[in-house]
Amino acid sequence: MKRAALAWLLAAVLPVSASKKAGESLPPLPEWSEEDRKALLAGELVPGALLFFMEDEEVLTENAPPEIRPPSPEEIAAPEADANEVPERFLESYFGQRPEGFLVDPQGLLDAKATKDRSGFLRYHAADSGIDLYVYLLEGGQDIPAGVRHDELAERFFSEGKPAVLVFYFLGAPQRSLIQMSPGLGDAVTAAERQRALASSVAEALQKSDPLQQFEAFCVQMSIRLYWMERAAGLVSEPLALEADLPERRSEAAPEPSVFKEWAMKTAGRWAGTAVLALGGAAFAVAGLWSLRARRRFRFPEFDVAPRLGGGHGAGIGAVISFGSMSQSPASQRSEVPDYLAGI
């Protein structure tokens, strides 16, 4: 093996002597032995390694490329574990039983204050609504394992009792949210209405930038949408505001008016004309008084003034009072009057 490598080295670095005659033949090239060829194909021989490690043959084996082995059929058939899947220790808390509370967070993704606030909101919604709202909280980048039957969770644990809506909410990624309904509610609410409720809640959440604020906005909007779902499903006694009942049904359902209400209606009908005339007269009188006050004129009395020096009027010179501008000085507003008496 060493001899073959040295032959390749000598053939590459030793120049052909220029003094050789043109007809002189070149030295023959080295040939690979069958043993060296097998070692090269098996990765045991690295060409050129002898230039640096001539004295240590074990270096060739240590620096050989790793053996490439095709995967076995068992390795190909085995599914690869996803690092982003929900850890196996939490699967039972998520999908193995009916939750005790309305907020399911076995991983502790929310702090104590946020957990208390969201749980209180969901309890308040359940007390005021005919549909319970259960929220399963997961990380934004997590995936539900393929072997978990999460799509049958509502059917397995919520077939009896109060209707419920289940939401799988991914914290920080509300657009990945999933929704399920208990069997009885799913028959009354169409799939289109279900998707509209989810899309509306996701849109409200995406208006916020903070993950906790997104979660809060999502829950509030979903509770509003559930209010209309329970009306559409007939879970409330009062009819929908947009539905128009037949006249016969309205007359049958309308309660009888009380005695006081009937007397008030008759009295109002009897004195309606008089009340209109009285209000019209009062308005006319007020308008007349306002018009008279606007047209009033004031006249000041004229006083007799004793003649000066026996004359009917003065010399035409005297003090004059006038109203000028408040933003200018009096000196700048004074009118120059010619001195007819020449300083006397």
Side-chain angles (χ1 to χ4, degrees), residues 137-334:
L137 197 62
L138 300 95
E139 288 186 2
Q142 281 185 336
D143 295 323
I144 300 175
V148 176
R149 300 165 57 189
H150 67 280
D151 52 343
E152 301 177 1
L153 197 63
E155 184 178 355
R156 282 189 287 149
F157 299 116
F158 297 90
S159 297
E160 299 178 356
K162 187 177 179 181
V165 169
L166 281 63
V167 173
F168 295 92
Y169 184 86
F170 295 85
L171 190 63
Q175 66 276 7
R176 300 186 59 202
S177 300
L178 305 174
I179 187 173
Q180 295 183 24
M181 293 186 177
S182 56
L185 186 61
D187 297 338
V189 179
T190 62
E193 177 62 27
R194 185 185 317 174
Q195 292 302 321
R196 280 196 296 267
L198 183 60
S200 175
S201 303
V202 170
E204 288 294 328
L206 291 178
Q207 294 182 5
K208 310 292 183 179
S209 58
D210 183 70
L212 293 180
Q213 294 181 357
Q214 289 179 346
F215 183 39
E216 179 180 359
F218 182 94
C219 293
V220 172
Q221 182 63 21
M222 182 58 70
S223 66
I224 296 175
R225 300 297 304 189
L226 293 185
Y227 171 77
W228 294 105
M229 284 187 187
E230 65 176 308
R231 286 179 167 272
L235 301 177
V236 290
S237 57
E238 62 268 18
L240 286 172
L242 300 179
E243 293 182 353
D245 294 334
L246 296 176
E248 296 82 3
R249 296 178 59 184
R250 287 203 303 267
S251 61
E252 293 176 359
E256 296 182 359
S258 62
V259 178
F260 175 78
K261 184 177 180 180
E262 185 177 357
W263 173 83
M265 294 177 63
K266 290 182 178 179
T267 304
R270 183 184 304 174
W271 297 99
T274 306
V276 170
L277 292 177
L279 290 177
F284 182 77
V286 171
L289 291 176
W290 180 83
S291 176
L292 290 176
R293 289 178 62 86
R295 298 173 58 184
R296 282 189 302 178
R297 298 292 183 268
F298 298 93
R299 296 183 179 275
F300 296 96
E302 298 182 0
F303 300 96
D304 295 335
V305 180
R308 299 182 180 183
L309 302 177
H313 56 83
I317 301 175
V320 178
I321 299 176
S322 62
F323 298 94
S325 175
M326 298 177 61
S327 61
Q328 300 179 8
S329 63
S332 62
Q333 302 183 57
R334 183 176 58 187

